[in-house]
Every structure is written in C-alpha cells, then in structure tokens.
Amino acid sequence: MRILGISAFYHDSAAAVVEDGEIIAAAQEERFSRKKHDSRFPRHAIDYCLEASGATPQDIDFVAFYDKPFIKFERLLETYIAFAPRGFQSFKMSLPLWLREKLFQKSLLLKEMKAYSADVDWAKRLLFAEHHFSHAASAFYPSPFKDAIVLTMDGVGEWATTSVAFGSDNQLTMQRELRFPHSLGLLYSAFTYYTGFKVNSGEYKLMGLAPYGEPKYADVILDNLIDLKPDGTFRLDQSYFDYCTGLRMTNAKFDELFGGPARKPEELLTQRHMDIAASIQAVTEEVVLRLTRALAKETGARNLCLAGGVALNCVANGKLLRDGSFDQIWIQPAAGDAGGALGAALAGYYHHKKNSRSLNGGGDAMRGSYLGPSFPQAEIERRLHAVGARFEPMAEGDLIEAAARDLADEKAVGWFQGRMEFGPRALGGRSILGDPRSATMQKTLNLKIKYRESFRPFAPSVLREDVADWFELEGDSPYMLLVADVAAKHRHAMTAEQQNLFGIDKLNVPRSSIPAVTHVDYSARIQTVHQETNPRYHALLSAFKRMTACPVLVNTSFNVRGEPIVCTPEDAFGCFMGTQMDTLVIGDCYLRKDDQDASLKHDYKEKFELD
C-alpha cells in the first residue's frame, strides 16, 4: 500500500511517500522551487516522491492531507465574532483568500491530483487528518518506541495549540489539548516579532540570541502575559497581543510593558533585546518542563515523543532530557509543518487503514532523515560540466583525505553527498563544514559565506562514539535537536574582564578548544554522526580526527541567509561561486575555488530575500 502525504497552503509545503509502512521519500517544496518556506501546492516535491518510490500516480492508494481546512475556517469566523468589531481589517484581508483557495481545499487537491492522472477517482482516495494528529503521527510512528506519550506544541492547527496523545503499537489516541488563542508557539512568535525577526522563520534566531542576555523580564512575562499553572497548562492575556485581530503580533500595551516599540528588522541589537530573548526562552523552558513533569507523573509513561514547531527549540529539548522525567525522548526531525505531510501519510497507513506496526530494532524509522533526492556520479558530472564547473573526480579514500586536509587547514568546505535531508537541519548531506578549533571560523562563516547575523551560533557534528568525551551528552542526537554543554575538560575559563563584555563582544573570546561551535554560555547544538546512516560523513569525521585528534566539525546548512538549503549540484555550484567557500565536494567530484573560471563568480549576497 502506497500513501502520499501532503502539507500545503500555510507554510513549508512538503510531500512524503509511505509504502507498506516504510518511509520511502520526503521533501519540502522550497528545496525545488528555491522559495524559502514555500507554501504552494508541492508539485515538485510530489514529482520527486513518485520518482523515488518508483510509482505512477495510479499506484498511489491514498492521498493524505495534513489538516482539516473547514475546521480552521470555523476558527477564523469564531475568532472574528468573539472580537468584533475589532479586527475587521484583518478579517477583510484574509476572507478573499479563504473563499478563493483555502476553504475549498478539497476541490483544489482533487484538481491538482487530476493533473497527475485524470483517470483516477481521487475523491475516493483522499484522506484528511487533523493538524495536531498529523504532527503526533509524525513523531510516534517513526519513533523506536512501542508505547509513548506524544506532546505536540506549535502556533495553532485547526484549534489546538498544545496537545497530548498516547501511542501504543499502531494506535494513536488524542487525549487533551489547549486551544487557540492560548499558544506557546504564538507567544514565542510574538517575541520573535517584537525583537525584529520574521515570524515563522526567525524563532531560531531568538533562541540563538538568548544566551547573550539575562532573563530579566521573565517575571514580567509570567506576571502579565501568561497565567501558568503548576501542570504547565496556561492562558495568555489577549490584551497584549494583536494576532487574533490585527496585522501584527503585539500591540501598544505590549510595547509599554517592555519599554519601547518593536525592533525594526535591521536595527542594531541592544542588551535589552538580548535580555528579552533570554526571558522568553526561560519562560518557554519552564512551560515545557511543567507540562512534561506533570505528564510523566500522571501517566507513569517512560517514553516521550515531540513534534510541532516548538519541538525545534533544541535548548528546551536539552533541558527536558536532563530533567529526567522521561527515560527516553524522540523528536521528529521535521517537527514543523513540513513534517505534517509525513505524519498524514503515516496516520493514513496505521490509524485509518489499521495496518500493523513493527519496530526498527531499537532505532527509528527515519533513515537518518536522508529522505530527499540524490544524484548518481555520472549525473553529477554531466550537470557540473553544463554549468562550466572545473572538477577532479577522485576515489572515495582520496576524496575524504583531501577534504579532511582542507578542513584541518581551516578552509570552508561545501559538502554535497547522498540524499538531501528532510527537515530544517543540514545533517551532512547538504552542509558547509569548517574546523571547530579555529577562533575565526564562526565569524568567517557568518559574514563571508552565510551572509547572516554575526551572533548566530554554529552546530558541531561529532562522531557518535566520541560524543561523551567532548560534550555533556551520553546518548544520541542524530537530528541536531538537543543542546548540551561542551565537556568541562575542553572549556577555557573566562576572566572577569571577559565576562563583563557586552553581549556579542563575548563572541571574540575563545571559550573552549572548539570555539567555533561553543556558544557564549558554553553550550552547543549537537549532531551525533552514525556510521549506519551516513557512512561517508562518518568517514570524513574519522579522517579529520586522525589528522587533528578532534572528532568534531562545524556543520551549517549549505545555503546563504534567506536561501533554502541547496538541492541539486547546480544549486551547490551557484552557492559555491557566490560565496567565499574554498572547496566543494559533490559526490566523487572535488572542486577548488582557485581552479574555477573567474567569470562565473557572482554576487550571491543579495540574491535571496532576507529571512
């Protein structure tokens, strides 16, 4: 049985194919369209998933959509009625879009699928799952657990903003939910907006900014914005927010509470902004910890699965793991709306069709999240020739040695190997790599290659077998969704004078033997690299370790600010020639910047809209 899952029309459209319960392929539409967070119907992603599964449209037994648009429209109407006449402008602007597209999504989906095959009665093959059920399914069914509590936290689905489900074998049962407008995701997004970052895109920047500040406003948030109960349930005081009725997240009352208007996107960041970021991060962590402690105590469950956009808050995840309320935690790597496509497909297979579920021998079923396109060597060479690239094909051993030597020489290396990652993180398939021992690598990558804010931290990839020697983490973190501190023996103590430096100035102070991946609070967002799921990346790290005695690399996504992660060899070469990367490794092809035709260099910095 083949089921095609689709998420679309809000943000991060995606498609996934599940065949007899096995995840065959999954990808976001943005990777093909080159439009960040593309929300359009995922035609390109569907085309890829069909090709990867070797299926024709007629071979698809069911098409599963990740939410129920009629219920979402009901929320829009009820919200307007509850707040009327306030919010009429927002309602007036959104209603035409709903009437033109979103309300009649079933008809739109049928029309789009008929374009693939007019002979199929798609109406009989179309399934809908509620938004939070899709999230929960994406977290539980691929997890290594027979039984688990599933916690989903995001902005809002149809009505739910936080939900709890219980999974057992092939059954997934929704237990309870918190409803709009009371939303941890929207609260965090409100502060994303207030600190000058883009909602549904810049939340991770707010998380990265938090360690530069002190949570001086945490009590202000808890005393005024959120009524937080001991069990983690909460209500938000809507008099401070405009997301129900207006065209922005916060209002003048919010501005007054925090001492000024929202920061403009490119305005200078101040210590106040850093303290506000630290404060909402602290409150978010407190909500998550209270929720999970209460669930563990109430249910006695020992396994926890997480999904929804809030599950991408890897700092909160790290504290949740260390809290120990649950023995094991598994987080869906595509925890946001893109993952809803996979969840809808899995819900169709297990929940709707009642098929049996078997576990994956202790591991998860995500294949390392390497679920996107790959390119055979001959195809890579053909594509590179077509764009005028100059390259040297190498045997695998020679290629890995050359790349490891470049990294040890503090060169920035573009690394394009195997299948593209599904989800927001680059995991060694479409990555830019660097030497973590370099005191200048973090600044170089941010300003000369990624073209992004200088405060943004970089993540370490580390050999799984060496993680506990370098970080305060004993287990797996294959999807870069857990933050832990650098091990004490690798840290450098800061002097009193250095401790007193203004926020971002602390960046220039090496805090460990791997300063390029050590954040200002000694933390790091860790990816453990496993030989079973990515043998070539594991071999590269092993070669780097032999040369340097360091089993860690800087790993950042292969793109510039505002650009989706590269998908094709042409995308990778374009990014390589538009930035100050030194080396590019695509399949078995090795490219040096100095060897390239200088006329192919171009200004990449302004090519994409800032995120």
Side-chain angles (χ1 to χ4, degrees), residues 56-344:
T56 66
Q58 293 88 340
D59 295 328
I60 298 297
D61 296 288
F62 294 97
V63 176
F65 193 67
Y66 83 128
D67 73 5
K68 295 186 175 181
F70 273 108
I71 302 176
K72 193 166 281 190
F73 185 65
E74 173 191 274
R75 169 170 58 81
L76 178 73
L77 288 176
E78 289 195 21
T79 301
Y80 170 64
I81 291 168
F83 286 89
R86 190 160 60 96
F88 178 72
Q89 184 66 22
S90 173
F91 179 77
K92 185 175 74 171
M93 290 180 66
S94 63
L95 189 62
L97 180 62
W98 272 93
L99 295 178
R100 186 173 66 249
E101 294 179 9
K102 295 185 177 181
L103 186 58
F104 303 105
Q105 275 173 16
K106 182 175 182 180
S107 298
L108 180 57
L109 288 167
L110 291 174
K111 177 183 176 183
E112 293 287 356
M113 293 313 299
K114 282 185 181 296
Y116 283 95
S117 177
D119 298 331
V120 174
D121 187 353
W122 292 108
K124 291 184 178 179
R125 302 190 187 187
L126 196 56
L127 305 174
F128 291 85
E130 287 198 1
H131 187 95
H132 270 229
F133 195 92
S134 294
H135 275 314
S138 78
F140 174 65
Y141 289 126
S143 79
F145 309 139
K146 180 181 178 183
D147 305 289
I149 289 291
V150 187
L151 178 62
T152 297
M153 302 168 286
D154 65 1
V156 60
E158 291 86 4
W159 277 102
T161 64
T162 301
S163 66
V164 176
F166 182 72
S168 180
D169 291 327
N170 67 339
Q171 295 298 305
L172 184 62
T173 307
M174 303 302 290
Q175 301 284 335
R176 71 191 76 155
E177 64 185 32
L178 295 176
R179 291 192 141 204
F180 182 85
H182 308 292
S183 166
L184 183 59
L186 289 176
L187 176 65
Y188 204 87
S189 290
F191 281 90
T192 301
Y193 167 85
Y194 186 71
T195 50
F197 304 121
K198 190 177 289 188
V199 172
N200 292 328
S201 173
E203 282 76 8
Y204 60 95
K205 298 182 188 180
L206 189 66
M207 182 181 66
L209 188 64
Y212 295 99
E214 298 292 332
K216 296 178 179 179
Y217 298 91
D219 287 342
V220 175
I221 297 170
L222 290 167
D223 291 343
N224 295 276
L225 301 186
I226 182 170
D227 179 14
L228 179 60
K229 304 302 183 185
D231 66 354
T233 58
F234 59 87
R235 293 180 66 83
L236 302 183
D237 185 341
Q238 289 302 305
S239 67
Y240 290 95
F241 303 96
D242 256 11
Y243 58 75
C244 284
T245 61
L247 301 175
R248 58 181 195 156
M249 295 297 295
T250 59
N251 59 26
K253 187 176 180 181
F254 191 103
D255 295 350
E256 183 179 356
L257 184 66
F258 291 98
R263 171 181 166 265
K264 292 181 172 61
E266 297 304 314
E267 187 180 319
L268 186 67
L269 284 162
T270 67
Q271 189 62 51
R272 172 174 156 271
H273 297 122
M274 298 171 196
D275 292 340
I276 288 172
S279 301
I280 187 55
Q281 180 64 33
V283 170
T284 299
E285 291 164 9
E286 182 64 23
V287 174
V288 171
L289 287 173
R290 289 193 192 186
L291 279 169
T292 51
R293 287 167 182 167
L295 288 171
K297 183 177 180 181
E298 176 189 341
T299 65
R302 304 313 307 153
N303 300 321
L304 175 68
C305 298
L306 295 176
V310 177
L312 294 173
N313 192 308
C314 48
V315 179
N317 295 341
K319 293 193 175 180
L320 172 57
L321 179 67
R322 292 188 292 277
D323 187 59
S325 295
F326 289 90
D327 294 337
Q328 298 182 92
I329 299 171
W330 192 84
I331 307 159
Q332 166 55 239
D337 274 11
L342 176 60

Side-chain angles (χ1 to χ4, degrees), residues 343-376:
L346 292 167
Y349 184 78
Y350 291 113
H351 184 78
H352 180 72
K353 300 307 294 181
K354 311 298 183 187
N355 288 299
S356 61
R357 173 176 176 250
S358 58
L359 297 180
N360 192 30
D364 66 50
M366 286 296 293
R367 299 171 177 254
S369 211
Y370 306 110
L371 296 167
S374 64
F375 298 85

